[in-house]
Amino acid sequence: MATTSSMFMYSLTIQPPTSVTQAILGQFAGTKEQQIVTASGSRLTIHKPDPTQGKITTILSQDVFGIIRTLAAFRLAGSNKDYIIIGSDSGRITIIEYVPAQNQFNRLHLETFGKSGIRRVIPGQYLAVDPKGRACLIASAEKNKLVYVLNRNAQAELTISSPLEAHKPQTLVFALVGLDVGYENPVFAVLEVDYTECDQDPTGQAFQEVEKSLVYYELDLGLNHVVRKWSDPVDRTANMLLQVPGGGDGPSGVLVCGLDNITYRHSNQDAFRVPIPRRRGATENPERKRCITAGVMHKMRGAFFFLLQSEDGDLFKVTIDMIEDDNGQPTGEVKKLKIKYFDTVPVASNLCILKSGFLFVASETGNHHFYQFEKLGDDDIETEYDSDSFPADPTEAYTAVYFHPRPSENVNLVESIDSMNPQLDCKVANLTDEDAPQIYSICGSGARSSFRMLKHGLEVNDIVDSELPSVPAAVWTTKITRNDEFDAYIVLSFDNGTLVLSIGETVEEVTDTGFLSSASTLAVQQLGEDALIQVHPKGIRHIRADRRVNEWPVPQHRSIVAATTNERQVAVALSSGEIVYFEMDTDGSLAEYDEKREMSGTVTCLSLGEVPEGRVRSQFLAVGCDDSTVRILSLDPESTLENKSVQALTSAPSALSIMAMPDSTSGGSTLYLHIGLYSGVYLRTVLDEITGELSDTRTRFLGPKPAKLFKVSVKGEPAVLALSSRSWLGYSDPQTKNFMLTPLSYVPLEWGSNFSSEQCTEGMVGIQGQNLRIFSIEKLGSNLLQQSIPLTYTPRRFVRHPEYPLFYTIESDNNTLSIETKQRLLNSETVVNGDGVELSPEEFGYPRAQGHWASCIHVVDPINAKATLQQIDLTDNEAATTIVAVSFSSQSDETFLVVGTGKDVTVSPRTSSAGFIYIYRFLEDGKELEFIHKTKTEQPPSALLAFQGRLLAGIGNELRIYDLGLKQLLRKCQAQVVPNLVVGLQTQGSRIIVSDVQESIVYVVYKYQDNRLIPFVDDVIARWTTCTTMVDYETVAGGDKFGNLWLLRCPQKVSEESDEDSSGGHLVHERQYLQGAPNRLALMCHFYPQDIPTSIQKTQLVAGGRDILVWTGLQGTLGILVPFVSREDVDFFQTLEQHLRGEEAPLAGRDHLIYRSYYVPVKGMIDGDLCERYPLLSNDKKQMIAGELDRSVREIERKISDMRTRVAY
């Protein structure tokens, strides 16, 4: 990459894509439990279903930096572990295993067979495995098929053979599956079409007569080659194959799914065919044929069944009856095929049935669902259709069969997994007046679409919230003896006293505990085996197990201002600046160390670490003073209270905590000193366990209030609860072990402590005002919280009200009945009994109808009502295309909502009978919309924008300026500025950035004196633009539909010339260049993130963060681009990226640099997702790269984590 680029960005993913393209099931950990492995774009994720709780948790997610096209699980005979085969765009076949001990994927084999990229003749599109794990077949869409034999060597390691070819030129493959043939030679079934004759016949006759065949390829293990064994024509609409169990379990063979029918085929059996039942109902078209889009076969003891899903989401149960012999045993010869309606679930890209009785539905759009089987549909009243009543010949006609959809009976939804696919638009805004903005997004399709609000934070489970008699200052929990499992007391400190509550079935006040109730408390600790300690301003109270009380009084005229304790040591700071240190004697009494240590300033806070396992004392005492320093004092008997190290701070420390936490750098656990400042800043530094030196400081701003820190435990790991104006939790990420600091989605707390009881083994107790709250944190996996508001149709665009926290969405669905047509059909006289039932669209979808549009406008309130406030349905087969809020200067700057619609729109080829621009007035602070008038246009408006107090509209390839009249909009100016279709508009000043659907962007200037729109600069590459935003006056960032992100800049001189105060004549008469504008844009940055960008904007994501670019992708991705400030950082990350490309080569064998340069060489971009793989490397590799970079491992990790935490989460 040329280091002469003047602009560099760091690309990071905040939320990986959530759409699942592939899902497979297997025992990948080598245990009895099954796991689900999913592929989302370039990410491979392994999920662990929990049958007892009915939940799915993610164990590991890894970016393979390549497009995952197919996945398959296989197991060698006799082993108990499944391996994963990946077919990707790398031109290689990859076999990996999951290693539970290290929680990582380990690559076993990588065999190259062709060019990289997704091409017609390079295998990787289809993948099938022999059920006994002996071979796999990987095929391309056309011509090439390769068979790999899988085996094991003497060391019981997996081996893979050279590929065996089964090529056939001019043949297209439609589906591929491995046949279940027991232990005979492996056979693969393929749906193929030979197009040789179609190519040579110009009349098109051969194309009409072409046949689709089912072909068997057999791998002869003895002769080690592949033969084409059997071929037979099948229904021309066939699109899918499913394996039928063979060997001792069934008849073997395949189910061939086509349009409106399912056929059983095998080389030595007759064909059996059943139709796919169609929905019956007043709103259904009885002639519409369905096809099968997903299916799964499940084997049980002595039986098997198929669940097949049509494109409406209806599941059908298909079973095969076999002929029985005289003893009643099945002979393996098929008698008939049976089908019946089972249930309806969302349309899936994959279905998985778990042995534990669950069904995982990887939805095509919207949330993924996890169902539990209630029953298998054997005893319901649904009609069963069998193959005896239908001809097996695919060309013969038959009568269609029907069923009535009904709510689910056989499966029951237990968990819905958030997915934002497809994500169509997004805005970042701070509507709740918190310190960090929220992300508002529209996603999903049809009736399962939603408006989502995303917020950075952890989900908190509230257990108790009770009011106290007055406002407490602090709270602690304590056990009574060292070996107690649960806490016994909650101690509350008030300004003038202390209250002790006992924890049992109920929480009630107790008075006979030995605690001094007339003074406020500074610290509470269970000491030694069975004693308790209470530190109050006038002394230390040591309560023994037999209720004897020893008091240590404070010297005269002084009081205790800070205290810290652990189970063997106590340290207090006096108002005179002296520190008094106590240690527990062998007889359980507290012994005071002879000398007091005087500090230079007033002590504000102290901390002793926990006593390490097998030691008698904690080595260090941390002391924070009001002169903005933290000192580490030694507690060694030889050098007690001697100074070990000092750290200067930016403001006085308000809290300290020494804690051992898991550490990604060393792989073990490390001692940290956590520091909270009065300025609301939190610092974490590494405390050397031998010398007491402080190093590797990381900072984070928590909020404007002084920070307080408390040691808590979450999921069995130590964590730090940091309280400022918001509550935060510092913990190590369950997957990467990186330190994370995330706000809690909870009320701000003033004080906190760990809490453990029988009902809640791992919780926290906190004070908020006058309330005592007990809560727990269950999920540490995701740090983005989602709230969802259901919408009616697929959302297309949305816009925010300029003043109030409200949004306006436009939604439209093609080939869907509108509400009025639906009501007319339901209320018609001809409706017979049972057909007039209206089904809930969330479960069953909307009734389909060719050429119809259903569309509406919604007012959404995500903050107060958390619901939609008004729905305006569009009539007359119109569909909303674009929306904007415009304040018209001619109407004394009143803001109106402008919506563009199209009538009778056909998507491809692009036609419509008319377009309209609707004007709505805001009523009731924007909560209601009132229709004013509409203006007809020749084509649907594809982009609208407020421009200098008027409306700018992109209609077809023209740009127009409208003003608001009394009865319609008045056209003021127009110009043809792009070749095809305006799809986006941006503006600053009198400059307009116009996006064309396939010809990138054009800069246009509006000359007010002459009322002219003049294009003056365009692009050199034809980009299929999807979204753009102006980064500054000259620069535009955008994305295209092939999944690229880019930044383009207008040359400085051209930019200045366009703004000269003249009529723009010199721009009009300047010579055009290659039928375009006279000048060209320069490419600054280019990157391939592997998701189609649907929105991009310049904004901030954290309080006090820099401006960054936030983009969203169609598959649910949230990503950011962070500009680099210094050349030094760029050089550092470039070198790091180079080393990681070599040391941490992508899992699926794709070359990282080529992958990120899919369409255009990557320029001016550092891949942050690759850099964040560094902490996951083995220690040797980390040290090696650190040596090359001439830095320490900690320093590199700090730089990587700072790039993220300073601007995002």
Side-chain angles (χ1 to χ4, degrees):
M1 186 193 297
T3 16
T4 49
S5 295
S6 59
M7 187 174 196
F8 276 89
M9 308 288 268
Y10 185 78
S11 160
L12 262 182
T13 305
I14 296 178
Q15 177 178 290
T18 49
S19 77
V20 171
T21 49
Q22 292 274 324
I24 56 170
L25 196 61
Q27 297 167 343
F28 302 107
T31 55
K32 285 275 172 61
E33 284 110 29
Q34 287 180 302
Q35 289 88 23
I36 299 168
V37 168
T38 60
S40 313
S42 64
R43 284 193 96 79
L44 197 63
T45 310
I46 184 161
H47 309 267
K48 175 181 162 198
D50 184 343
T52 51
Q53 294 181 322
K55 281 193 163 48
I56 286 192
T57 48
T58 302
I59 321 175
L60 172 64
S61 179
Q62 183 173 337
D63 201 327
V64 302
F65 301 108
I67 298 169
I68 302 172
R69 298 158 76 186
T70 46
L71 288 177
F74 78 95
R75 171 191 307 206
L76 293 173
S79 97
N80 59 354
K81 179 170 185 170
D82 286 331
Y83 297 100
I84 303 163
I85 305 182
I86 303 175
S88 68
D89 61 343
S90 61
R92 299 163 162 193
I93 186 168
T94 316
I95 300 184
I96 62 167
E97 65 171 336
Y98 170 64
V99 186
Q102 283 120 24
N103 189 26
Q104 66 182 34
F105 291 119
N106 182 16
R107 188 166 72 203
L108 302 173
H109 287 287
L110 185 66
E111 297 294 321
T112 309
F113 52 67
K115 293 178 177 170
S116 62
I118 295 177
R119 304 162 192 256
R120 267 170 67 159
V121 292
I122 301 296
Q125 189 62 35
Y126 300 100
L127 179 63
V129 173
D130 170 58
K132 293 282 185 272
R134 297 168 298 170
C136 72
L137 173 64
I138 188 163
S140 57
E142 185 183 334
K143 184 183 172 187
N144 293 332
K145 298 181 197 67
L146 297 171
V147 176
Y148 286 91
V149 182
L150 305 162
N151 215 323
R152 57 158 75 88
N153 61 15
Q155 285 77 46
E157 291 163 345
L158 176 73
T159 60
I160 186 167
S161 71
S162 313
L164 305 169
E165 295 182 354
H167 302 337
K168 186 165 189 288
Q170 298 187 317
T171 303
L172 299 173
V173 174
F174 286 83
L176 170 65
V177 71
L179 238 62
D180 190 347
V181 289
Y183 280 104
E184 291 174 20
N185 277 336
V187 176
F188 297 96
V190 186
L191 274 182
E192 287 184 353
V193 167
D194 188 331
Y195 66 83
T196 317
E197 288 170 14
C198 306
D199 250 10
Q200 289 153 6
D201 175 21
T203 62
Q205 182 69 29
F207 173 70
Q208 300 302 327
E209 293 167 3
V210 73
E211 280 186 341
K212 192 174 277 187
S213 321
L214 175 67
V215 184
Y216 279 9
Y217 287 93
E218 182 181 13
L219 164 67
D220 192 321
L221 288 169
L223 298 171
N224 205 27
H225 76 139
V226 184
V227 285
R228 192 180 164 100
K229 186 182 176 188
W230 174 76
S231 171
D232 208 28
V234 291
D235 181 3
R236 190 171 165 175
T237 60
N239 66 325
M240 196 170 175
L241 295 176
L242 284 132
Q243 170 197 82
V244 177
D249 302 322
S252 187
V254 288
L255 287 187
V256 181
C257 305
L259 186 67
D260 209 36
N261 70 84
I262 296 162
T263 316
Y264 168 79
R265 298 300 305 262
H266 193 33
S267 53
N268 59 5
Q269 305 251 12
D270 295 336
F272 295 89
R273 183 166 75 144
V274 290
I276 299 172
R278 305 176 190 176
R279 284 188 183 182
R280 168 155 280 161
T283 53
E284 292 293 339
N285 172 9
E287 296 306 308
R288 184 163 77 85
K289 298 178 176 181
R290 301 339 194 241
C291 61
I292 297 297
T293 56
V296 61
M297 181 267 294
H298 186 62
K299 270 199 275 196
M300 302 173 296
R301 278 205 186 88
F304 62 89
F305 65 90
F306 296 86
L307 282 186
L308 306 181
Q309 188 181 41
S310 72
E311 76 251 49
D312 293 335
D314 300 321
L315 287 176
F316 300 102
K317 183 178 177 184
V318 176
T319 49
I320 294 176
D321 280 3
M322 290 185 274
I323 295 171
E324 294 178 347
D325 60 15
D326 306 338
N327 306 332
Q329 293 297 317
T331 56
E333 200 174 325
V334 176
K335 182 175 166 191
K336 60 184 171 190
L337 189 62
K338 298 194 293 196
I339 186 168
K340 70 176 184 182
Y341 173 60
F342 186 74
D343 262 337
T344 301
V345 299
V347 180
S349 56
N350 282 87
L351 298 167
C352 297
I353 297 180
L354 281 77
K355 286 180 182 160
S356 50
F358 288 89
L359 170 70
F360 175 66
V361 176
S363 308
E364 269 190 4
T365 67
N367 290 357
H368 308 302
H369 284 181
F370 195 49
Y371 293 91
Q372 184 162 19
F373 281 102
E374 298 293 322
K375 54 189 204 309
L376 290 177
D378 298 326
D379 48 1
D380 53 17
I381 50 168
E382 293 295 334
T383 322
E384 190 161 53
Y385 303 101
D386 62 34
S387 53
D388 294 351
S389 332
F390 302 95
D393 181 8
T395 54
E396 279 187 52
Y398 54 84
T399 44
V401 296
Y402 296 91
F403 73 96
H404 279 119
R406 51 156 171 75
S408 292
E409 286 178 4
N410 300 307
V411 292
N412 168 30
L413 181 65
V414 287
E415 194 186 16
S416 176
I417 301 142
D418 279 334
S419 166
M420 291 174 63
N421 160 54
Q423 182 169 229
L424 295 143
D425 201 355
C426 169
K427 306 256 184 287
V428 178
N430 189 358
L431 302 187
T432 52
D433 287 334
E434 291 175 7
D435 48 6
Q438 307 84 47
I439 299 169
Y440 298 90
S441 163
I442 47 174
C443 47
S445 70
R448 298 182 65 237
S449 55
S450 58
F451 179 100
R452 305 228 174 164
M453 171 174 150
L454 278 86
K455 198 170 128 192
H456 182 217
L458 289 173
E459 198 177 340
V460 172
N461 182 9
D462 217 342
I463 300 165
V464 175
D465 177 7
S466 62
E467 205 171 330
L468 297 166
S470 62
V471 178
V475 60
W476 293 270
T477 54
T478 179
K479 305 172 179 180
I480 292 181
T481 71
R482 188 182 192 162
N483 302 325
D484 286 359
E485 195 179 340
F486 302 120
D487 292 327
Y489 296 141
I490 295 177
V491 182
L492 289 157
S493 167
F494 298 89
D495 289 344
N496 53 1
T498 296
L499 179 68
V500 182
L501 308 173
S502 77
I503 305 167
E505 290 295 313
T506 59
V507 173
E508 52 206 26
E509 185 180 347
V510 283
T511 50
D512 57 345
T513 54
F515 281 98
L516 182 68
S517 58
S518 59
S520 63
T521 302
L522 294 172
V524 172
Q525 173 74 43
Q526 188 275 317
L527 194 76
E529 290 302 320
D530 51 11
L532 292 171
I533 251 180
Q534 176 193 13
V535 182
H536 54 90
K538 288 295 168 199
I540 300 173
R541 200 172 170 89
H542 184 189
I543 306 159
R544 307 295 280 263
D546 51 9
R547 295 292 155 94
R548 282 182 304 150
V549 174
N550 297 347
E551 274 276 356
W552 176 84
V554 172
Q556 252 180 332
H557 311 308
R558 295 176 210 169
S559 61
I560 297 176
V561 290
T564 176
T565 59
N566 63 28
E567 64 233 40
R568 301 187 61 88
Q569 296 158 287
V570 179
V572 297
L574 305 182
S575 49
S576 57
E578 293 169 310
I579 288 174
V580 189
Y581 169 64
F582 301 84
E583 204 169 296
M584 198 177 79
D585 269 353
T586 43
D587 62 349
S589 62
L590 273 183
E592 181 186 344
Y593 178 67
D594 307 336
E595 293 172 33
K596 297 183 176 59
R597 166 77 194 259
E598 279 207 34
M599 303 308 284
S600 54
T602 309
V603 176
T604 56
C605 48
L606 298 169
S607 174
L608 281 164
E610 292 290 304
V611 179
E613 198 73 34
R615 297 273 184 92
V616 290
R617 65 177 69 78
S618 163
Q619 295 285 76
F620 302 113
L621 170 67
V623 184
C625 298
D626 63 358
D627 58 358
S628 301
T629 58
V630 169
R631 288 180 167 75
I632 301 294
L633 307 184
S634 163
L635 297 180
D636 237 18
E638 283 81 55
S639 59
T640 309
L641 298 186
E642 273 184 23
N643 215 357
K644 282 281 190 183
S645 62
V646 182
Q647 168 121 5
L649 306 166
T650 51
S651 98
S654 54
L656 295 172
S657 175
I658 296 178
M659 253 165 88
M661 286 180 85
D663 177 19
S664 63
T665 312
S666 62
S669 108
T670 301
L671 204 57
Y672 290 106
L673 171 64
H674 302 268
I675 308 170
L677 306 185
Y678 275 102
S679 57
V681 172
Y682 159 84
L683 297 95
R684 184 184 76 130
T685 75
V686 176
L687 176 59
D688 191 297
E689 299 183 26
I690 293 152
T691 63
E693 290 292 325
L694 295 171
S695 61
D696 187 32
T697 307
R698 305 197 185 179
T699 58
R700 188 81 180 265
F701 176 62
L702 303 183
K705 287 167 94 180
K708 301 192 184 86
L709 306 174
F710 305 95
K711 183 184 174 185
V712 291
S713 146
V714 179
K715 297 269 179 235
E717 296 278 1
V720 60
L721 181 68
L723 307 179
S724 174
S725 54
R726 281 166 89 180
S727 311
W728 298 69
L729 186 75
Y731 58 97
S732 46
D733 183 271
Q735 276 187 36
T736 60
K737 295 288 177 261
N738 282 347
F739 182 73
M740 309 275 281
L741 191 64
T742 310
L744 301 182
S745 169
Y746 203 51
V747 292
L749 301 170
E750 274 94 57
W751 198 276
S753 178
N754 226 12
F755 177 82
S756 174
S757 72
E758 280 182 55
Q759 290 78 18
C760 164
T761 49
E762 206 173 45
M764 296 171 211
V765 57
I767 296 169
Q768 175 240 339
Q770 207 171 324
N771 291 13
L772 182 71
R773 286 177 174 257
I774 297 175
F775 58 95
S776 67
I777 294 165
E778 301 295 331
K779 286 187 190 162
L780 291 181
S782 72
N783 61 358
L784 276 177
L785 285 171
Q786 292 190 17
Q787 282 179 339
S788 176
I789 298 168
L791 298 174
T792 309
Y793 304 115
T794 306
R796 303 290 170 178
R797 288 269 170 265
F798 74 131
V799 64
R800 187 193 155 188
H801 191 288
E803 293 156 43
Y804 302 105
L806 297 168
F807 287 96
Y808 304 89
T809 64
I810 49 168
E811 299 152 40
S812 58
D813 269 325
N814 194 5
N815 296 342
T816 302
L817 284 181
S818 64
I819 287 184
E820 46 182 326
T821 321
K822 195 162 80 176
Q823 287 314 124
R824 198 176 67 240
L825 289 170
L826 287 168
N827 301 335
S828 113
E829 272 88 61
T830 54
V831 173
V832 292
N833 224 359
D835 282 2
V837 181
E838 190 175 353
L839 300 167
S840 104
E842 290 81 25
E843 275 186 65
F844 300 96
Y846 290 108
R848 309 268 183 98
Q850 201 69 33
H852 286 255
W853 282 89
S855 184
C856 70
I857 303 167
H858 266 139
V859 182
V860 183
D861 178 356
I863 306 302
N864 304 319
K866 292 191 167 42
T868 51
L869 305 179
Q870 186 188 8
Q871 176 170 341
I872 300 170
D873 286 298
L874 298 181
T875 54
D876 218 15
N877 206 27
E878 283 182 42
T881 55
T882 176
I883 184 169
V884 71
V886 182
S887 72
F888 286 98
S889 4
S890 57
Q891 304 290 322
S892 59
D893 287 343
E894 186 187 344
T895 305
F896 292 86
L897 188 71
V898 184
V899 177
T901 70
K903 181 171 160 50
D904 306 326
V905 178
T906 313
V907 182
S908 177
R910 196 183 300 120
T911 57
S912 61
S913 58
F916 295 97
I917 300 178
Y918 285 74
I919 304 287
Y920 292 94
R921 177 176 265 126
F922 295 118
L923 302 177
E924 312 242 343
D925 294 347
K927 289 179 182 154
E928 272 185 39
L929 296 175
E930 177 193 29
F931 174 65
I932 307 285
H933 58 62
K934 67 177 182 179
T935 308
K936 189 171 179 180
T937 58
E938 312 83 79
Q939 292 184 36
S942 47
L944 298 172
L945 185 71
F947 178 68
Q948 298 184 354
R950 298 195 280 187
L951 172 69
L952 187 65
I955 296 166
N957 59 2
E958 287 183 346
L959 200 55
R960 291 185 189 166
I961 295 178
Y962 285 102
D963 210 339
L964 188 61
L966 284 175
K967 296 208 171 155
Q968 67 167 31
L969 289 169
L970 311 171
R971 193 188 310 183
K972 296 290 184 193
C973 172
Q974 83 172 39
Q976 188 178 328
V977 294
V978 294
N980 305 297
L981 174 74
V982 177
V983 290
L985 296 169
Q986 302 284 334
T987 182
Q988 275 186 29
S990 58
R991 178 171 295 179
I992 305 162
I993 311 290
V994 185
S995 318
D996 181 73
V997 66
Q998 66 183 64
E999 292 288 342
S1000 193
I1001 57 177
V1002 179
Y1003 283 38
V1004 176
V1005 64
Y1006 175 60
K1007 295 294 182 187
Y1008 190 77
Q1009 311 89 308
D1010 288 23
N1011 194 23
R1012 289 176 85 171
L1013 290 161
I1014 307 166
F1016 64 95
V1017 59
D1018 61 14
D1019 197 7
V1020 285
I1021 294 183
R1023 305 179 198 278
W1024 292 69
T1025 324
T1026 54
C1027 58
T1028 52
T1029 187
M1030 291 185 78
V1031 181
D1032 56 40
Y1033 193 56
E1034 265 90 37
T1035 318
V1036 171
D1040 63 43
K1041 78 168 201 183
F1042 292 98
N1044 298 302
L1045 285 169
W1046 29 263
L1047 271 90
L1048 302 170
R1049 182 169 284 172
C1050 173
Q1052 188 74 33
K1053 185 163 169 277
V1054 176
S1055 174
E1056 285 162 8
E1057 273 177 16
S1058 73
D1059 287 340
E1060 284 170 8
D1061 280 347
S1062 66
S1063 63
H1066 63 293
L1067 292 174
V1068 181
H1069 301 304
E1070 203 167 341
R1071 197 167 123 238
Q1072 287 195 338
Y1073 180 66
L1074 300 176
Q1075 281 88 46
N1079 301 292
R1080 291 292 175 265
L1081 295 164
L1083 177 67
M1084 303 302 295
C1085 299
H1086 200 286
F1087 190 67
Y1088 174 75
Q1090 217 263 291
D1091 196 354
I1092 299 168
T1094 52
S1095 79
I1096 185 165
Q1097 58 205 301
K1098 180 176 155 187
T1099 181
Q1100 297 168 351
L1101 279 185
V1102 294
R1106 282 204 316 238
D1107 272 356
I1108 54 174
L1109 291 174
V1110 177
W1111 67 274
T1112 58
L1114 187 73
Q1115 300 176 42
T1117 315
L1118 273 176
I1120 58 171
L1121 303 176
V1122 189
F1124 278 105
V1125 182
S1126 72
R1127 166 65 68 188
E1128 184 195 352
D1129 279 355
V1130 174
D1131 293 342
F1132 168 79
F1133 278 104
Q1134 267 186 333
T1135 324
L1136 176 64
E1137 200 181 24
Q1138 269 168 352
H1139 284 297
L1140 283 166
R1141 281 183 188 137
E1143 292 304 321
E1144 175 67 3
L1147 193 66
R1150 187 83 167 108
D1151 183 294
H1152 176 267
L1153 185 62
I1154 300 175
Y1155 167 67
R1156 288 300 188 199
S1157 313
Y1158 231 107
Y1159 295 95
V1160 172
V1162 65
K1163 178 179 183 184
M1165 284 273 192
I1166 305 284
D1167 185 359
D1169 295 338
L1170 179 67
C1171 295
E1172 290 194 343
R1173 299 278 312 150
Y1174 177 80
L1176 302 170
L1177 295 176
S1178 64
N1179 271 350
D1180 315 342
K1181 283 187 178 174
K1182 279 196 214 172
Q1183 295 289 358
M1184 196 200 85
I1185 293 174
E1188 295 278 340
L1189 288 168
D1190 201 16
R1191 311 255 176 151
S1192 71
V1193 173
R1194 277 199 195 284
E1195 213 175 333
I1196 296 175
E1197 290 195 354
R1198 185 175 84 226
K1199 276 185 105 67
I1200 294 170
S1201 93
D1202 277 357
M1203 280 306 287
R1204 182 184 276 271
T1205 53
R1206 281 187 184 158
V1207 292
Y1209 5 99

